[in-house]
């Protein structure tokens, strides 16, 4: 369904060209002075420069062409040359009716099934999932959902950090604790046990212990490095331990991401890229793209237009070890082979910006990725505590994600129980749904690149720009609809009538932005634009609701029209929260 701005622009273009001006001037934007008009066209100013005429004369001539057009209630030329527009309420109501008849309420599937890889989550295996990984999961999930909604074939890949030093640390710590295990018997030649030598609880304790030890014990650290090296070169006993670590952690990670309602199509990791690396290095060398520099193998990536000097990308260290960038390049080769994506999106901390610039440039320079394939890094800022420093537990430790979620749910639970209208069990279930909304909306409503402050009390508030407020609005509409249906009335066949009051028109104007917002938010990879929009729509609904007694309305046609209208609001809000990655309860 055409966007309302485009429909208006279509008429405006005709008007400009019948006056002899280039129709390119007929651009329509939302008004930045809602007190004066709803939409505006500023093209007369630009046209005036080109034609050496007074902008107001051009605007007046264009406006004259549009008099009597049934799309508009008002089109006026104002100094110095603005064209101010108000829509006809009948036209707007018609747009609402068409919206509700469309499958996706007017959003078009512009993606056409094109494949887009979204790389997010990025948890490091065997290290507990902490708040640092929260943002990647929450933002990535939303981008994946937005793309699917627009008809792209989004492939979400968790891209686990499963090939690093943490593996060697765990192996050596395990050796210190249980030297009797067969994995450490160099003369052992039999099969390795099916059963893991640790539970997830033990694993979670082993890693931090090993990591702390490596900071004070140089010999231990060296052993861990050697173990990592041997693992990476296929040493069978360590591969067996690695498989145990993977199986045990993966089950736990899946549970944790599941609790966040975050999903992946692929559970691949850095280890999956390893088979591609020798060929990759060989190829870069053979084609003269990589060269030795201080013992390391590097690829130049600087471009003449760079504003600052970018260092070359190191693809092999002097000790022969592969690096983070090499893993990412290997992964790209695999993705090209298996998926042939039309675009890549990586959701990772913004401090990794240089890394991704290097990887993208090497991939393009070497032709592993076609020049017209888009590669983007969505770099996010830090989640801070109220002190403005990275969020920590009360005693200053790293906050486990599970703990964070439990804290939020408890706080929401007590808020719900304050009203005491529902059973404890229902309150617990509802608290989970509302808690997730609070957490995700609290994150997504900020521009991703910005740091934000995790403020539990604000996030769980039922008022203001919060997830619970949006849910509260949806629940309120559901309750009105339930009461309406309870009277035996049915609005299915009813049409949405032209607005009678200003608040009602406001609400329709807000609804009319829906398809545009969804497209723009995805194009800019900006879930916060969806948040902004559903907040605006919720406010418009709530003030409409405040001014109109929907259920007490005596004219049945008007009443049914309002029911259709608020159903549309509910459907748009629900589609909005769905792409953000959460849902609404029936009551709260
Ligand atoms: N595991 C990485 C980290 O914790 C994030 C991975 C991001 N994705 C990627 N393809 N490099 O920092």
């Amino acid at each position: 369904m055409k966007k309302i701005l485009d429909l208006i622009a279509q008429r405006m273009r005709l008007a400009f060209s019948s006056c002899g001006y280039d129709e390119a001037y007929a651009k329509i934007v939302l008004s930045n002075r809602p007190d004066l008009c709803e939409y505006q066209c500023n093209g007369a100013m630009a046209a005036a420069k080109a034609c050496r005429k007074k902008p107001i004369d051009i605007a007046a001539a264009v406006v004259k062409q549009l008099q009597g057009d049934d799309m508009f209630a008002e089109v006026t030329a104002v100094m110095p040359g603005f064209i101010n527009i108000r829509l006809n309420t009948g036209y707007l109501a018609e747009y609402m009716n068409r919206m509700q008849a469309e499958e996706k309420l007017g959003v078009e599937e512009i993606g056409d099934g094109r494949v887009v890889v979204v790389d997010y989550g990025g948890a490091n295996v065997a290290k507990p999932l902490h708040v640092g990984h929260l943002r990647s999961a929450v933002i990535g999930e939303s981008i994946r959902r937005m793309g699917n909604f627009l008809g792209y074939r989004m492939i979400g890949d968790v891209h686990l950090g499963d090939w690093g030093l943490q593996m060697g640390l765990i192996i050596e710590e395990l050796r210190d604790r249980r030297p009797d295990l067969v994995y450490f018997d160099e003369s052992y030649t039999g099969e390795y046990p099916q059963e893991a030598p640790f539970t997830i609880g033990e694993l979670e304790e082993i890693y931090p212990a090993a990591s702390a030890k490596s900071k004070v014990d140089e010999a231990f650290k060296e052993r861990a490095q050697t173990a990592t090296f041997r693992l990476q070169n296929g040493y069978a006993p360590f591969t067996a331990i690695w498989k145990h670590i993977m199986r045990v952690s993966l089950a736990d990670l899946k549970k944790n991401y599941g609790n966040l309602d975050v999903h992946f199509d692929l559970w691949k990791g850095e280890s999956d890229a390893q088979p591609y690396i020798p060929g990759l290095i060989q190829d870069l060398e053979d084609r003269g793209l990589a060269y030795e520099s201080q013992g390391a193998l590097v690829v130049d990536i600087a471009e003449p237009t760079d504003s600052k000097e970018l260092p070359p990308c190191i693809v092999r260290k002097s000790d022969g070890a592969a690096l983070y960038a090499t893993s990412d390049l290997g992964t790209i080769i695999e993705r090209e082979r298996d998926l042939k994506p039309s675009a890549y999106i990586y959701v990772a901390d913004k401090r990794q910006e240089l890394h991704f610039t290097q990887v993208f440039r090497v991939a393009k320079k070497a032709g592993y990725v076609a020049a017209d394939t888009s590669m983007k890094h969505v770099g996010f800022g830090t989640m801070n505590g109220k002190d403005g420093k990275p969020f920590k537990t009360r005693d200053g430790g790293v906050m486990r994600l599970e703990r964070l979620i439990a804290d939020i749910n408890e706080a929401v639970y007590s808020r719900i129980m304050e009203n005491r209208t529902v059973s404890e069990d229902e309150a617990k279930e509802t608290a989970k749904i509302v808690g997730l909304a609070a957490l995700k909306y609290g994150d997504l409503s900020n521009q991703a690149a910005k740091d934000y402050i995790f403020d539990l009390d604000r996030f769980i508030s039922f008022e203001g720009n919060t997830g619970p407020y949006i849910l509260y609005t949806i629940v309120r509409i559901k309750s009105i609809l339930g009461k309406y249906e309870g009277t035996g009335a049915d609005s299915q066949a009813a049409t949405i009538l032209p607005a009678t009051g200003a608040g009602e028109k406001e609400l329709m104007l807000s609804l009319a932005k829906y398809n545009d917002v969804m497209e723009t938010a995805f194009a800019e990879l900006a879930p916060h634009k969806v948040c902004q929009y559903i907040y605006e729509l919720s406010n418009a609904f709530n003030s409409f609701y405040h001014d109109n007694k929907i259920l007490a309305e005596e004219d049945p046609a008007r009443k049914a029209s309002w029911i259709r209208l608020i159903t549309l609001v509910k459907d748009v809000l629900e589609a909005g929260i769905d792409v953000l990655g959460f849902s609404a309860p029936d009551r709260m």
Side-chain angles (χ1 to χ4, degrees):
M1 184 171 166
K2 280 228 166 77
K3 295 179 200 111
I4 198 103
L5 290 176
D6 293 341
L7 289 166
I8 304 173
Q10 236 169 26
R11 308 254 173 132
M12 194 57 81
R13 279 199 294 274
L14 270 177
F16 268 83
S17 58
S18 10
C19 296
Y21 303 109
D22 192 332
E23 53 174 47
Y25 294 121
K27 217 176 149 275
I28 305 294
V29 291
L30 290 172
S31 157
N32 52 19
R33 287 286 305 275
D35 52 325
L36 297 180
C37 59
E38 293 153 2
Y39 304 92
Q40 62 191 66
C41 171
N42 305 334
M45 260 82 74
K49 277 210 188 92
C51 318
R52 298 171 180 279
K53 288 192 186 166
K54 277 203 219 122
I56 190 69
D57 293 344
I58 298 177
V62 169
V63 161
K64 210 164 158 213
Q65 295 291 322
L66 293 168
Q67 292 312 315
D69 189 318
D70 65 353
M71 184 187 273
F72 308 111
E74 199 184 314
V75 192
T76 45
V78 295
M79 285 302 274
F82 296 112
I83 300 172
N84 287 353
I85 300 163
R86 281 186 206 277
L87 277 191
N88 179 306
T89 49
Y91 184 85
L92 186 56
E94 210 30 65
Y95 195 80
M96 296 294 106
N97 282 308
R98 279 199 283 142
M99 241 178 113
Q100 64 163 347
E102 295 255 342
E103 172 138 23
K104 285 189 171 171
L105 311 174
V107 174
E108 275 180 45
E109 301 205 338
I110 53 169
D112 241 346
R114 271 169 295 175
V115 173
V116 176
V117 168
V118 208
D119 181 312
Y120 59 106
N124 297 318
V125 171
K127 302 187 190 176
L129 207 56
H130 61 79
V131 296
H133 290 108
L134 175 69
R135 298 212 68 192
S136 178
V138 169
I139 298 168
E141 174 72 8
S142 171
I143 290 175
R144 183 181 70 83
R145 291 185 186 211
M146 288 198 289
N148 278 333
F149 190 70
L150 290 169
Y152 292 90
R153 204 175 127 231
M154 307 296 284
I155 308 282
D157 182 2
V158 66
H159 198 77
L160 299 169
D162 60 358
W163 205 233
L165 181 64
Q166 80 263 38
M167 297 298 175
L169 286 167
I170 292 169
I171 292 171
E172 288 307 314
E173 178 66 19
L174 201 59
R175 184 202 298 277
D176 287 356
R177 294 179 183 208
R178 309 207 17 214
D180 54 302
L181 290 173
V182 289
Y183 310 96
F184 305 116
D185 177 354
E186 302 269 341
S187 61
Y188 182 80
T189 53
E191 291 275 305
Y192 291 102
Q194 295 287 311
E195 191 82 5
F198 38 68
T199 61
I200 181 68
E202 285 160 349
L203 196 55
E204 282 180 352
E205 186 262 321
I206 291 175
Y207 171 73
S211 166
K213 198 196 272 184
S214 73
K215 292 197 176 98
V216 293
D217 182 343
E218 195 52 37
F220 178 76
K221 188 173 164 192
E222 269 166 33
R223 271 165 51 203
Q225 278 160 348
T226 308
T228 308
F229 189 78
R230 290 177 88 184
L231 167 69
Q232 294 180 347
N233 285 281
Y235 180 59
F238 291 180
T239 305
I241 300 181
W242 178 81
K243 283 190 178 150
H244 288 311
I245 299 176
M246 289 299 286
R247 225 172 2 89
V248 170
S249 321
L250 221 62
D252 187 57
L253 280 172
K254 287 191 172 165
K255 189 188 82 197
N256 273 297
Y257 281 126
N259 286 339
L260 276 175
D261 208 352
V262 166
H263 308 275
F264 301 95
D265 303 285
L266 299 174
W267 285 82
K268 296 207 160 239
E270 291 177 11
S271 64
D272 293 292
Q274 303 315 307
Y276 300 91
I277 290 179
L280 166 81
I281 300 271
Q282 190 66 52
D283 182 59
L284 290 172
E285 282 190 304
D286 288 351
R287 292 161 62 211
L289 291 166
Y291 63 93
E292 295 259 352
S293 167
Q294 295 164 10
L297 194 65
V298 304
V299 179
D300 282 332
I301 54 129
E303 287 171 9
T305 48
D306 291 342
S307 56
K308 57 177 186 237
E309 203 178 322
L310 295 182
C313 178
I314 307 178
V315 292
R316 193 180 62 207
K317 283 204 290 193
S318 49
D319 65 3
L323 295 115
Y324 188 38
T326 331
S327 279
D328 266 325
L329 287 166
T331 305
I332 286 171
I333 292 182
E334 184 182 44
R335 287 172 178 165
E336 286 294 320
R337 194 198 66 178
D338 296 347
L339 305 165
K340 296 217 175 6
S342 67
Y344 288 81
I345 300 167
Y346 294 80
V347 186
D349 196 304
K350 70 177 173 197
R351 286 168 292 188
Q352 296 191 17
E353 189 188 330
L354 175 61
H355 163 77
F356 285 108
T357 304
Q358 291 177 320
V359 168
F360 297 168
R361 287 199 184 173
V362 175
K364 294 245 166 137
K365 188 173 179 182
Y368 301 141
V369 171
D372 61 353
T373 302
S374 124
M375 302 189 92
K376 285 189 187 145
H377 168 216
V378 178
F380 53 79
T382 308
M383 174 172 133
N384 289 325
K386 278 192 180 160
D387 57 0
K389 301 207 183 90
F391 191 81
K392 291 267 159 65
T393 55
R394 241 171 246 157
D395 55 17
V398 174
M399 181 65 129
R400 302 263 319 252
L401 200 51
E402 269 177 309
R403 183 68 254 153
L404 181 77
I405 295 176
D407 283 355
I408 294 175
N409 291 351
E410 266 161 45
V412 175
Y413 174 76
S414 4
R415 180 141 311 176
I416 294 175
M417 288 309 277
E418 277 166 22
N419 304 332
R420 286 216 164 269
T421 50
V422 292
S423 72
E424 272 176 41
D425 282 347
E426 187 180 338
K428 281 219 173 82
E429 276 313 302
T430 307
K432 269 196 213 158
I433 301 175
V434 179
L436 192 64
L439 178 70
K440 288 189 165 182
Y441 192 93
D443 187 304
L444 294 171
S445 54
N446 303 285
Q447 214 173 309
K450 294 207 170 121
D451 296 349
Y452 74 92
I453 291 177
F454 179 83
D455 182 344
L456 182 80
D457 294 325
R458 189 171 77 73
F459 286 8
I460 67 165
S461 167
F462 285 18
E463 281 150 42
N465 189 8
T466 70
Y469 170 68
I470 309 288
L471 298 191
Y472 192 74
T473 306
I474 294 172
V475 165
R476 176 176 261 175
I477 300 176
K478 282 187 183 175
S479 143
I480 303 170
L481 296 179
K483 284 186 189 144
Y484 179 76
E485 277 156 25
T487 65
D490 184 1
S491 72
Q492 285 303 326
T495 25
I496 296 176
L497 303 172
T500 48
E504 187 177 2
K505 189 176 188 193
E506 270 307 302
L507 183 58
M508 292 192 192
L509 287 169
S510 182
L511 281 166
K513 294 177 189 166
Y514 175 56
N515 51 6
D516 204 352
V517 168
M518 292 303 240
E519 262 187 43
T520 309
F522 182 68
E524 296 174 11
L525 304 177
H528 75 276
K529 296 214 162 165
V530 175
C531 294
Q532 247 164 32
Y533 173 63
I534 59 176
Y535 179 53
E536 171 202 300
L537 182 61
S538 296
N539 284 336
F541 166 77
N542 283 310
S543 64
F544 166 73
Y545 173 76
H546 179 265
D547 295 342
N548 297 281
K549 302 273 157 292
I550 300 175
L551 290 170
E553 171 59 37
E554 280 172 10
D555 174 0
R558 173 62 55 192
K559 187 169 173 178
S561 159
W562 280 347
I563 293 293
R564 295 313 308 159
L565 182 64
I566 68 171
T567 304
L568 190 55
V569 174
K570 176 184 80 82
D571 291 346
V572 166
L573 290 178
E574 283 188 321
I577 62 173
D578 188 61
V579 299
L580 295 175
F582 54 91
S583 56
D586 288 326
R587 310 191 287 177
M588 64 192 264

